[in-house]
Amino acid sequence: MEQNQEIKVVNKDDRTWAMLCHLSALAGFIIPFGSVLGPLIIWLIKKDEMPIVDVHGKKALNFQITMAIAYFVCFLLIFAAVGLLLLPMVAIFSFVMVIIASVKANDGKEFNYPLSLNLIK
């Protein structure tokens, strides 16, 4: 099965909202839990109107929930000093993956986040 399949997109507006599902996760760098709340809000508002937003919203939410778990584990590992190294690595990985997913969504392509738990189906 091909990883990056094209999604049939009706118009630019659909692609923009799909891209915003991913980009809204960057709010987590400013607002606590913003990385989960941003994609969740956009997904809940647009998932019934735009099938592409439903697909991308689920992927963005699954990845952000996975990253929240990773941040929590890193926080616990700070007491063992390992978390001090892992926390910035997780943050950089999350940022880069969100940017890549946003670009793919804007191109109308599906993106599967690596290491993402599939919690919302």
Side-chain angles (χ1 to χ4, degrees):
M1 181 179 348
E2 193 174 306
Q3 290 273 334
N4 294 326
Q5 302 171 351
E6 285 197 33
I7 298 172
K8 303 293 183 217
V9 179
V10 177
N11 58 35
K12 177 79 172 135
D13 193 40
D14 291 355
R15 292 194 316 259
T16 301
W17 280 104
M19 178 184 67
L20 288 174
C21 276
H22 299 287
L23 283 179
S24 63
L26 296 178
F29 288 108
I30 301 168
I31 303 167
F33 303 108
S35 60
V36 174
L37 291 176
L40 178 64
I41 291 168
I42 292 175
W43 178 64
L44 288 174
I45 292 171
K46 294 292 183 177
K47 70 177 180 170
D48 295 327
E49 296 173 41
M50 303 172 176
I52 189 173
V53 174
D54 187 37
V55 171
H56 283 276
K58 288 176 188 175
K59 290 178 184 285
L61 275 172
N62 283 328
F63 182 70
Q64 293 309 320
I65 292 169
T66 303
M67 289 296 98
I69 293 167
Y71 287 131
F72 180 72
V73 170
C74 288
F75 174 74
L76 293 177
L77 291 174
I78 284 178
F79 301 108
V82 177
L84 291 173
L85 296 172
L86 289 178
L87 192 60
M89 291 170 55
V90 170
I92 292 168
F93 174 73
S94 177
F95 180 78
V96 169
M97 290 298 109
V98 165
I99 298 301
I100 292 171
S102 299
V103 170
K104 293 284 187 181
N106 195 40
D107 291 341
K109 296 180 181 172
E110 189 174 331
F111 178 74
N112 293 318
Y113 285 99
L115 308 174
S116 181
L117 301 174
N118 195 14
L119 303 171
I120 299 172
K121 297 178 183 183

